[in-house]
Amino acid sequence: MVGDMKTGDMAARAKFSLHGPEEDFDPRTTAHRGDLADIALAGKMFAPHYAETMPMRCAAPKAMIRKQGGKNHVAVSELLHGEDFHMLDVVGDWAWGYCDHDNYVGYVPVHALQHQRKTAQPTHLISARAALIFIEPDVKAGVMKRLPMGAKLACGPLSDCGNFLQAGKGFVHVRHVQEIGAKPVFDGKNNTVGFAEQLIGAPYLWGGRSGDGLDCSGLVQMVLGLTGQSAPRDADQQMKAVGTELSQDDDLKRGDLVFFPDHVGIMADDSEIIHANIHWMQVCAEPLGDVVARFDVDAPISSRKRLS
């Protein structure tokens, strides 16, 4: 089979050959649709056309990623301010492509994106549940915008007062951000759980992965990301890729991940779990036994993993 490559204004076309059957692939993280695929897949998967990606960056506070272009279609994830997106196509008001941090594929409102060359490289993360960007380096000043936990932004030097960092045309308080790659400590305890504890009470949002709303795997992916640990988007992917399996004799402790069918949470201690869940429609901390009892199956815990 042979496909041709479509790369915007590029007039020349390249030919690619596929020898043998296509490999199995996860459609959630493989940029391949019926008519178009990422050029990186040429020779591996057949498509009528291949395209090179255009490097974009989320300029909105956040933007839902949907399975199809259209605000009424199912949300599959969320792109946060400052995160990169590899755009392959634009269909109406929707850009199709995949996220840089986890390769998750979907459609994002095109107005939420800017070309990377028009934006500054992010240097900091919002580490509070939310941060306000002020017009001046003063808590009494007007607010330009609000960014949720997990969003990235480019910060300049400290202001003269010492409590604010320049953030584009505005200012963000130093207590609301951390440098990308930093690993903060909360009272000497597990810092991953410290971030999760800040989110208790945040609403449940299918596809959400910000301080404004999260689903179960979005919570885990975000709090791991804030401590410099990458993780896939969905619970089944996380169960395969993250942490080390505990034996039946190992007791749970703070920071361990517990997986159920299509669900995941992080242990606050040896008996209480923090998770975003539909039952309470929010992030909550509750006894692990209560969560187990709500599953209508015997032995619903699929895996228990310990982070390094």
Side-chain angles (χ1 to χ4, degrees), residues 58-80:
C58 184
K62 58 187 184 297
M64 296 306 296
I65 302 171
R66 301 191 180 275
K67 195 169 185 179
Q68 298 291 334
K71 63 182 180 180
N72 293 326
H73 287 285
V74 174
V76 293
S77 191
E78 192 170 32
L79 192 68
L80 307 184

Side-chain angles (χ1 to χ4, degrees), residues 32-76:
H32 182 286
R33 106 191 154 188
D35 62 329
L36 184 66
D38 185 356
I39 194 173
L41 299 174
K44 301 175 183 178
M45 300 183 66
F46 173 74
H49 304 282
Y50 300 99
E52 292 180 344
T53 62
M54 181 177 291
M56 308 295 284
R57 184 165 289 148
C58 184
K62 58 187 184 297
M64 296 306 296
I65 302 171
R66 301 191 180 275
K67 195 169 185 179
Q68 298 291 334
K71 63 182 180 180
N72 293 326
H73 287 285
V74 174
V76 293

Side-chain angles (χ1 to χ4, degrees), residues 197 200-201 266 268 272-275 277 280 282-287:
E197 288 172 332
I200 291 174
I266 186 167
E272 196 162 78
I273 189 169
I274 301 172
H275 62 142
N277 62 95
W280 297 112
Q282 64 179 351
V283 177
C284 68
E286 62 177 325

Side-chain angles (χ1 to χ4, degrees), residues 157-220:
L158 278 170
S159 64
D160 292 340
C161 70
N163 292 326
F164 288 84
L165 293 169
Q166 182 88 40
K169 295 180 180 180
F171 297 85
V172 62
H173 199 281
V174 293
R175 293 191 183 277
H176 288 169
V177 296
Q178 67 179 49
E179 290 187 22
I180 292 175
K183 294 186 177 182
V185 175
F186 295 88
D187 299 326
K189 299 179 180 179
N190 182 294
N191 49 24
T192 305
V193 181
F195 282 121
E197 288 172 332
Q198 288 190 66
L199 292 165
I200 291 174
Y204 181 90
L205 175 64
W206 183 273
R209 49 179 294 273
S210 81
D212 290 341
L214 316 94
D215 60 23
C216 65
S217 56
L219 170 66
V220 169

Side-chain angles (χ1 to χ4, degrees), residues 235 238-239 257-261 263-264 300-305:
Q238 293 172 359
M239 187 172 72
L257 299 179
V258 179
F259 294 89
F260 308 83
H263 192 61
V264 62
I301 294 179
S302 307
S303 179
R304 306 182 310 156
K305 308 291 284 288

